[in-house]
């Protein structure tokens, strides 16, 4: 979306970077950066989940069938909320609701059912044909990989008191990272922005 200044990607893993495409989840009116299917493709591309060529293919598929792309955007946003809930719950309470696991599992099973194992030089690679569901499949796979092979104990939620809730993989040596970003929540810049947004939406009511 042209008018949004996209935030820095701080998750360190595809699934967390996609979960962080909503900012200010505690607000009445959270800021969701994925307005269109094209936004989703660009976000996943920026997070390293898609090659430039794959992104071009997905944009073309979406232009050819906007209705299907809209439906897939809705499903991917729903999965994103399950992925967020799963890792946020585990990071902050040590648990996640069974329904969240089931939702991630459902898209993961779908992803596996549509992928193929192919030779790529000396290696093998799991791959998919261009498909509008690809972003959702990649999100599901990334979430299951992180949850099952970790280091999921290093997944943390931003310590901001004011509702950032961004998730990130703490790769610091002693596991001491507290903020999504030192230049943002680390110096309260984002918290001030979210507070201003909360006031503005209250004033608009
Ligand atoms: Zn933060």
């Amino acid at each position: 979306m042209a008018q949004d200044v996209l935030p820095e990607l701080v998750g360190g893993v595809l699934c967390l970077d996609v979960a962080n495409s909503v900012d200010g989840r505690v607000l009445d009116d959270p800021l969701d950066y994925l307005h269109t299917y094209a936004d989703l493709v660009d976000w996943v591309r920026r997070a390293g989940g898609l090659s430039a060529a794959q992104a071009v293919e997905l944009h073309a598929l979406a232009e050819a069938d906007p209705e299907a792309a809209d439906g897939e955007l809705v499903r991917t946003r729903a999965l994103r909320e399950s992925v967020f809930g799963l890792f946020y719950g585990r990071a902050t309470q040590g648990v996640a609701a069974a329904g969240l696991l089931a939702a991630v599992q459902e898209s993961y099973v779908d992803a596996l059912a549509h992928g193929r194992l192919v030779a790529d030089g000396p290696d093998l690679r799991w791959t998919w044909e261009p498909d509008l569901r690809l972003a959702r499949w990649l999100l599901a796979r990334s979430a299951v990989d992180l949850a099952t092979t970790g280091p999921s104990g290093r997944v943390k939620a931003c310590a901001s008191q004011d509702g950032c809730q961004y998730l990130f993989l703490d790769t610091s040596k002693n596991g001491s990272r507290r903020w999504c970003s030192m230049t943002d929540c680390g110096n309260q810049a984002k918290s001030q922005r979210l507070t201003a947004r909360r006031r503005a939406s209250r004033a608009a009511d």
Side-chain angles (χ1 to χ4, degrees), residues 19-160:
N20 293 344
S21 60
V22 176
D23 201 359
R25 275 195 166 81
V26 296
L27 303 182
D28 294 338
D29 177 25
L31 184 57
D32 189 334
Y33 290 99
L34 306 184
H35 304 275
T36 65
Y37 187 83
D39 292 339
L40 168 65
V41 172
D42 292 343
W43 193 282
V44 174
R45 161 85 185 117
R46 197 162 68 96
L50 292 167
S51 68
Q54 285 176 309
V56 168
E57 287 169 335
L58 292 189
H59 281 305
L61 287 175
E63 275 162 34
D65 193 345
E67 220 169 286
D70 286 348
E72 194 47 41
L73 173 67
V74 169
R75 283 186 286 280
T76 307
R77 282 165 57 159
L79 175 64
R80 174 192 64 187
E81 295 314 296
S82 297
V83 168
F84 170 80
L86 191 162
F87 287 108
Y88 188 80
R90 292 182 63 84
T92 58
Q93 325 267 336
V95 292
L100 300 174
L101 274 64
V104 173
Q105 175 192 308
E106 190 185 340
S107 281
Y108 184 64
V109 168
D110 193 39
L112 290 183
H114 290 88
R116 285 185 306 136
L117 189 61
V118 296
D120 182 8
D123 302 318
L124 294 178
R125 190 163 55 84
W126 191 261
T127 190
W128 291 272
E129 299 300 321
D131 191 297
L132 285 172
R133 296 167 289 187
L134 183 54
R136 180 163 53 89
W137 292 339
L138 290 168
L139 172 58
R141 182 178 64 173
S142 171
V144 170
D145 282 354
L146 179 60
T148 57
T149 63
S152 57
R154 285 288 187 122
V155 176
K156 295 187 181 173
C158 179
S160 161

Side-chain angles (χ1 to χ4, degrees), residues 158-160 164-166 179-181 185 190:
C158 179
S160 161
C164 165
Q165 296 193 330
Y166 265 13
W179 313 103
C180 66
S181 157
C185 286
K190 178 149 130 185

